[in-house]
Structure formats: structure tokens, C-alpha cells
Amino acid sequence: MAGGDGAGSSVRGKNHLYILWTNDNKLTAEKMVFMYAVNSRLRNWWEQVTIIIWGATAQLVADDVEIQDLAAGALSAGVQLSACKACCDQLGITEKIEGLGIEVILWGQPLTEILKSGETLISI
């Protein structure tokens, strides 16, 4: 979440799932990304779940009210949402994404650390 204990913090563990979401297909967002992320938290499959919003998905979140509702529900369920700052800045949607309660950070280095450390990452 913006300004909070977001995914950019150094607190990471082996029971933290990261979902790198780059596919802007709405059905994939509804039927995989949010469905799995929310159920993972509500059913305690993972202690922490972070959805990384990258590329075209940032525009989908900014433009689609139904996706915004899913994002709000995920946040309420304890899922962390964090968007790529470079993408949001280039698309001119940073304030809109932050206004939805979604953290916006530069994700290049944190993603590299996740990959190098062997953390659990699903790429969609």
C-alpha cells in the first residue's frame, strides 16, 4: 500500500508469494491474478501475497472500474499491490494508481533481488 509496509520493504520470507502481473487481459486478472491472490490470503496458503503491477496492467487498473473494485477487495483481504513507477509515470497515471491505495515504486532492483534470492514468483 502507498506509504506503508509495501513490497518495497526488505522484509521478505519464503512464505511470501509475488505475482508479477503484466498481462492486461481482463479475464486473466479476474480469474487468476485476483482470485488466486485473495484466496491465498484468506485461506492462509501464503503469509504474504504481493501483486506487482507492471506494464499494460497499470493502464488496465487505471481505466477499468471493475478491476479497481477487485484491487480494493484484494487490499482489504491483505494482499499487497505495488505498481511499477516507471510504467505509471510514462503512462501518466501515477497519481491515479496511488489514489487507489496502491504503492508505486521503481521495481527493477526489487524484482532482481526477488529473482536472485529464489523467492516464489509467478509471472502472468
Side-chain angles (χ1 to χ4, degrees):
M1 288 186 243
D5 258 340
S9 71
S10 62
V11 179
R12 295 190 174 111
K14 291 297 179 187
N15 206 3
H16 191 157
L17 171 66
Y18 295 90
I19 300 174
L20 177 59
W21 178 33
T22 62
N23 177 331
D24 68 345
N25 180 285
K26 188 172 176 177
L27 283 175
T28 300
E30 294 171 352
K31 305 302 180 202
M32 193 295 156
V33 175
F34 287 106
M35 183 183 291
Y36 185 69
V38 168
N39 280 307
S40 290
R41 282 303 307 125
L42 295 178
R43 297 170 190 230
N44 293 312
W45 297 335
W46 296 92
E47 287 178 18
Q48 292 180 283
V49 178
T50 299
I51 298 173
I52 304 166
I53 300 167
W54 199 309
T57 58
Q59 192 70 61
L60 179 64
V61 173
D63 292 345
D64 193 296
V65 174
E66 291 174 356
I67 296 297
Q68 291 169 10
D69 289 344
L70 289 172
L75 289 168
S76 293
V79 175
Q80 297 173 347
L81 276 78
S82 184
C84 169
K85 180 172 174 33
C87 299
C88 290
D89 286 351
Q90 290 170 18
L91 294 167
I93 58 172
T94 301
E95 287 184 22
K96 171 85 176 198
I97 297 295
E98 289 175 335
L100 297 170
I102 299 171
E103 172 186 67
V104 177
I105 65 169
L106 294 171
W107 260 102
Q109 182 175 351
L111 179 60
T112 301
E113 291 172 12
I114 289 166
L115 293 169
K116 286 184 174 184
S117 69
E119 306 245 11
T120 305
L121 175 78
I122 297 173
S123 182
I124 314 262

